[in-house]
Amino acid sequence: MIRERVQEVLRELPPGVRLVGAAKTRTPEEILEAIEGGLEIVGENYVQEAERAVAVIGQRVKWHMIGRLQTNKAKKAVRIFDMIETVDSMKLAGEIDLCCRNAGKIMPVLVGINSGEEEGKSGVMPGDCIDLIREMARLERIRIMGLMTMGPLSSNPGELRPYFRKTKEIFEQVKGLNIHGVEMAYLSMGMSDSYCIALEEGANLIRIGTLIFGERKSEKG
Ligand SMILES: *Cc1c(COP(=O)(O)O)cnc(C)c1O
């Protein structure tokens, strides 16, 4: 079933759009089934869970960090992931940069935007985004490649449209600034119930869990 659902989603995607399989709480076996269906990027929310999955599955796919990353997990994250989609502070960016230096790596990152401007939520506030990107762009071991947003938690996915639109506007604005070392290639927006809207608003990286793997039994958050 998982394999077929991945194939279905991939068939529907417009050209240039890439699928991230959001794999939190899923077993390596479930992820492998998705890979058989053609999944090329796996999104993980927790470093520990990712470590276990990577140990089984290895580098036949790309691994994206899509959850909140704690500074003290940066070292492991740098070792495991091909992209970190949730960088939202200079503190975290600096730590990733340092770990990359030690590991001899360069890490592609997306800047996580708190497009709903919600208190206590991760992501940089839209108004602070450009300053953060300018500052982050000076770090030699980080490659800024775009933006990611979740938007506020909502029972009606249609309500997310303005937040996706706002994020796309910032994306274009940053692109227009031509900041040295910044290559705005990816706009990561949309989940199972909102990806169609996200695509209409310009997403080219969508993060899908439930639609591929089915309902989650347990949710850590
Ligand atoms: C879980 C998760 C998704 C996917 O959510 P679904 O509703 O299961 O498709 C996407 N992005 C992030 C950051 C997630 O944590």
Side-chain angles (χ1 to χ4, degrees):
M1 271 311 279
I2 293 174
R3 184 176 16 173
E4 282 75 24
R5 284 191 292 240
V6 170
Q7 287 168 343
E8 255 170 62
V9 174
L10 288 175
R11 256 200 309 273
E12 281 177 19
L13 288 188
V17 176
R18 309 203 64 194
L19 171 66
V20 177
K24 59 177 173 279
T25 77
R26 315 299 178 173
T27 63
E29 290 69 32
E30 288 174 295
I31 299 171
L32 279 168
E33 242 190 280
I35 293 169
E36 280 175 33
L39 185 69
E40 294 177 338
I41 307 172
V42 179
E44 291 281 0
N45 288 66
Y46 309 100
V47 171
Q48 253 188 330
E49 230 178 271
E51 255 186 325
R52 282 196 293 269
V54 171
V56 175
I57 296 166
Q59 305 296 331
R60 73 184 90 176
V61 282
K62 298 288 184 196
W63 297 87
H64 283 200
M65 178 57 172
I66 61 172
R68 190 174 218 168
L69 180 60
Q70 289 165 303
T71 315
N72 61 1
K73 301 263 173 68
K75 190 175 167 191
K76 272 188 182 168
V78 159
R79 211 162 49 214
I80 295 172
F81 291 108
D82 300 290
M83 181 183 281
I84 299 174
E85 295 198 16
T86 48
V87 182
D88 60 359
S89 72
M90 238 355 245
K91 180 168 175 256
L92 178 57
E95 190 62 27
I96 294 169
D97 183 68
L98 186 67
C99 296
C100 283
R101 202 173 291 272
N102 295 332
K105 259 182 128 168
I106 288 180
M107 180 58 69
V109 304
L110 306 184
V111 174
I113 310 279
N114 182 355
S115 57
E117 304 189 41
E118 296 170 289
E119 253 180 66
K121 254 242 179 114
S122 58
V124 61
M125 289 291 176
D128 299 331
C129 176
I130 287 176
D131 283 349
L132 175 63
I133 288 178
R134 282 191 194 282
E135 209 180 335
M136 272 175 61
R138 298 201 198 105
L139 298 171
E140 284 177 8
R141 297 281 173 165
I142 275 182
R143 187 146 182 74
I144 301 168
M145 300 207 68
L147 305 181
M148 182 271 214
T149 201
M150 302 265 287
L153 201 63
S154 163
S155 49
N156 178 4
E159 288 167 10
L160 287 169
R161 189 184 295 280
Y163 304 101
F164 291 158
R165 189 164 292 179
K166 188 197 292 182
T167 307
K168 167 73 168 170
E169 275 168 22
I170 300 170
F171 180 88
E172 291 301 334
Q173 208 181 337
V174 175
K175 205 173 186 173
L177 292 173
N178 284 315
I179 301 167
H180 180 73
V182 175
E183 182 196 342
M184 297 302 277
Y186 298 107
L187 183 54
S188 175
M189 315 192 287
M191 319 202 322
S192 290
D193 56 0
S194 60
Y195 78 95
C196 293
I197 295 164
L199 289 175
E200 285 169 12
E201 298 302 330
N204 61 10
L205 206 52
I206 56 170
R207 309 178 309 271
I208 308 268
T210 311
L211 196 65
I212 294 174
F213 296 105
E215 290 293 331
R216 278 182 292 278
K217 287 175 196 77
S218 65
E219 183 76 84
K220 281 196 273 180

